[in-house]
């Protein structure tokens, strides 16, 4: 990967100076931006706040996108309950549909991300749903990878 510090700083500065760029992003763009920033270790709360605001206003996010948004925000230590509570109904609906899309690995990622926020009724409901789904997988003797098991134990 190319890691050019001046370019990264310029892009971060640009995003802060031009919030309309983030405001016009579709959810997939927000996800890619958040995950790229986290991967490049650019943990700027102001930028993540703008990205969260986009999602809070847009809400046309799939459950899988919501999970990986939470993970990116969590990696950057910028995941806040407001974003989680906005995504909770989407995640809860996916779990009620059987939880197969997203798959068990995705749900394990979600549980890990959710472990970084304060407990609220919405957070607790999603966590309980994920745990119930994982228990169903185990009870039906469906394969759960060693990595997923270790991440479940860690969360």
């Amino acid at each position: 990967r190319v890691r050019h510090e001046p370019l990264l700083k310029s892009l971060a500065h640009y995003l802060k100076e031009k919030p309309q760029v983030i405001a016009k992003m579709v959810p997939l763009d927000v996800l890619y931006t958040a995950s790229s920033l986290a991967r490049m270790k650019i943990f700027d709360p102001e930028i993540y706040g703008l990205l969260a605001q986009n999602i809070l206003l847009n809400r046309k996010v799939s459950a899988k996108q919501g999970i990986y948004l939470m993970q990116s925000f969590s990696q950057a230590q910028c995941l806040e309950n407001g974003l989680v509570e906005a995504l909770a109904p989407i995640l809860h609906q996916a779990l009620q549909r059987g939880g197969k899309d997203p798959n068990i690995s995705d749900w394990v990622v979600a549980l890990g991300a959710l472990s970084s926020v304060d407990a609220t009724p919405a957070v607790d409901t999603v966590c309980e749903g994920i745990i119930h789904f994982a228990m169903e997988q185990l009870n039906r003797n469906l394969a759960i990878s060693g990595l997923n098991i270790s991440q479940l134990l860690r969360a």
Side-chain angles (χ1 to χ4, degrees), residues 37-83:
L37 290 170
R39 191 173 51 255
M40 295 294 189
K41 300 189 182 337
I42 299 174
F43 303 150
D44 188 314
E46 187 177 345
I47 295 173
Y48 280 91
L50 292 169
L51 294 168
Q53 185 178 1
N54 173 297
I55 295 301
L56 293 172
L57 294 174
N58 190 335
R59 296 210 185 178
K60 294 180 181 173
V61 179
S62 71
K64 195 168 202 162
Q65 288 171 336
I67 288 169
Y68 289 98
L69 276 166
M70 291 189 316
Q71 181 200 34
S72 297
F73 277 68
S74 178
Q75 275 183 296
Q77 299 173 356
C78 294
L79 183 59
E80 296 181 5
N81 283 54
L83 179 61

Side-chain angles (χ1 to χ4, degrees), residues 11 14-16 18-37 47 50-61 69 73:
L11 287 172
Y14 181 81
L15 289 173
K16 289 193 288 192
K18 306 266 187 205
Q20 65 272 22
V21 172
I22 291 175
K24 292 179 182 177
M25 289 181 177
V26 297
L28 191 58
D29 294 336
V30 173
L31 172 58
Y32 283 160
T33 301
S35 64
S36 295
L37 290 170
I47 295 173
L50 292 169
L51 294 168
Q53 185 178 1
N54 173 297
I55 295 301
L56 293 172
L57 294 174
N58 190 335
R59 296 210 185 178
K60 294 180 181 173
V61 179
L69 276 166
F73 277 68

Side-chain angles (χ1 to χ4, degrees), residues 84-152:
V84 172
E85 291 190 13
L87 295 172
I90 296 163
L91 301 174
H92 186 67
Q93 286 174 353
L95 284 164
Q96 289 196 320
R97 288 191 308 265
K100 293 183 176 115
D101 183 33
N103 64 37
I104 185 67
S105 296
D106 300 322
W107 290 116
V108 170
V109 167
L111 195 60
L114 289 168
S115 68
S116 71
V117 294
D118 295 329
T120 66
V123 170
D124 290 347
T125 298
V126 174
C127 288
E128 288 167 8
I130 294 168
I131 291 166
H132 179 73
F133 176 68
M135 292 294 300
E136 283 180 353
Q137 300 292 296
L138 290 168
N139 290 338
R140 292 175 28 211
N141 289 322
L142 297 175
I144 296 182
S145 72
L147 179 60
N148 285 338
I149 290 170
S150 65
Q151 287 180 323
L152 279 168

